[in-house]
Amino acid sequence: AQTVTQSQPEMSVQEAETVTLSCTYDTSESDYYLFWYKQPPSRQMILVIRQEAYKQQNATENRFSVNFQKAAKSFSLKISDSQLGDAAMYFCAYRREAHQGGSEKLVFGKGTKLTVNP
Amino acid sequence: AAGVIQSPRHLIKEKRETATLKCYPIPRHDTVYWYQQGPGQDPQFLISFYEKMQSDKGSIPDRFSAQQFSDYHSELNMSSLELGDSALYFCASSLATVETQYFGPGTRLLVL
């Protein structure tokens, strides 16, 4: 079974600074997808960024970027120019490739609570 | 852009009662997932449907059942509610050919 590990239960960053959240995963699959979701105090689950395992290029979405190391099974999230609105719980998630249509569930890590200090 | 709709947003039930949660996926999405998130926990997968057929099943109690209807909306039926069922229940939807799941706002269930 696939597992996702987030080793940092809590992190803090100063506004306008950069922070990196760590995520490692375990899988025997070769095709899969990785995601970072943000859950603010409202508890809405918001997609931040996604990465296809077959792509070597790291995904980037504005101030958010990932460092995907497939061999090391590592998928960290970097937030640049941190803003107060970035404060939230961040979940790393894994999804294997779906075969013959159908669906594949997300497997989540335990989350990292990010605090942004003004 | 249209998002996933869940109703009700909040629900309070007594032990042993029944609850029905509804999910309306993003238009044209054919796959629906249900997740349960307990306090301070990560979301746990319950069940999913693709083209109105159950496609995967996770740690869903036998007291729970779900289905996806012809218009692709889904309902999660929960019977004999227990205190431990108190949680945030998310529905997510996706297009089967695209791997990204988009989450609804969740239904907060409190069992007293």
Side-chain angles (χ1 to χ4, degrees):
Chain A
Q2 295 83 14
T3 58
V4 177
T5 302
Q6 294 178 247
S7 59
Q8 307 152 315
E10 296 186 22
M11 291 282 285
S12 63
V13 63
Q14 291 296 128
E15 197 174 3
E17 297 293 306
T18 295
V19 65
T20 298
L21 308 184
S22 301
C23 173
T24 58
Y25 58 95
D26 186 24
T27 183
S28 58
E29 303 280 341
S30 58
D31 295 325
Y32 51 89
Y33 304 88
L34 296 164
F35 304 86
W36 280 97
Y37 282 89
K38 166 185 176 180
Q39 188 174 43
S42 67
R43 300 197 74 187
Q44 171 80 48
M45 291 290 284
I46 302 166
L47 176 68
V48 175
I49 200 166
R50 72 176 211 191
Q51 174 78 43
E52 295 88 340
Y54 63 85
K55 288 187 177 179
Q56 292 185 335
Q57 185 174 5
N58 290 322
T60 299
E61 288 287 342
N62 300 313
R63 298 183 293 107
F64 298 88
S65 61
V66 298
N67 183 3
F68 174 49
Q69 301 290 327
K70 190 172 184 179
K73 296 180 181 176
S74 171
F75 182 61
S76 60
L77 174 70
K78 185 172 82 171
I79 305 174
S80 304
D81 185 26
S82 297
Q83 301 176 0
L84 296 177
D86 295 333
M89 183 71 83
Y90 285 81
F91 289 98
C92 178
Y94 166 99
R95 180 190 189 275
R96 69 179 187 182
E97 176 74 69
H99 300 286
Q100 299 178 347
S103 64
E104 290 295 337
K105 65 187 178 189
L106 289 170
V107 177
F108 290 88
K110 296 299 182 187
T112 296
K113 183 179 180 182
L114 178 65
T115 301
V116 181
N117 300 309
Chain B
V4 178
I5 297 171
Q6 290 188 247
S7 67
R9 295 291 307 277
H10 303 270
L11 194 56
I12 300 175
K13 291 287 185 178
E14 299 280 340
K15 279 174 57 178
R16 293 181 288 277
E17 285 191 322
T18 297
T20 297
L21 279 54
K22 297 184 179 182
C23 169
Y24 298 86
I26 292 171
R28 298 197 312 279
H29 280 194
D30 50 18
T31 307
V32 168
Y33 312 78
W34 287 96
Y35 294 87
Q36 177 191 58
Q37 186 180 28
Q41 304 286 320
D42 54 297
Q44 294 292 314
F45 171 72
L46 292 177
I47 196 167
S48 62
F49 293 88
Y50 166 62
E51 281 292 343
K52 292 153 280 185
M53 299 287 288
Q54 180 182 308
S55 56
D56 195 7
K57 197 171 182 179
S59 49
I60 183 170
D62 292 340
R63 301 177 288 108
F64 294 6
S65 65
Q67 58 181 321
Q68 186 179 32
F69 294 86
S70 57
D71 64 350
Y72 294 99
H73 94 272
S74 178
E75 295 184 3
L76 177 65
N77 297 293
M78 310 161 69
S79 63
S80 302
L81 287 168
E82 302 174 355
L83 296 179
D85 296 328
S86 296
L88 183 58
Y89 290 83
F90 284 111
C91 171
S93 76
S94 72
L95 195 55
T97 53
V98 180
E99 66 287 347
T100 302
Q101 296 179 25
Y102 296 92
F103 283 74
T107 294
R108 297 191 189 201
L109 172 65
L110 177 61
V111 181
L112 301 176

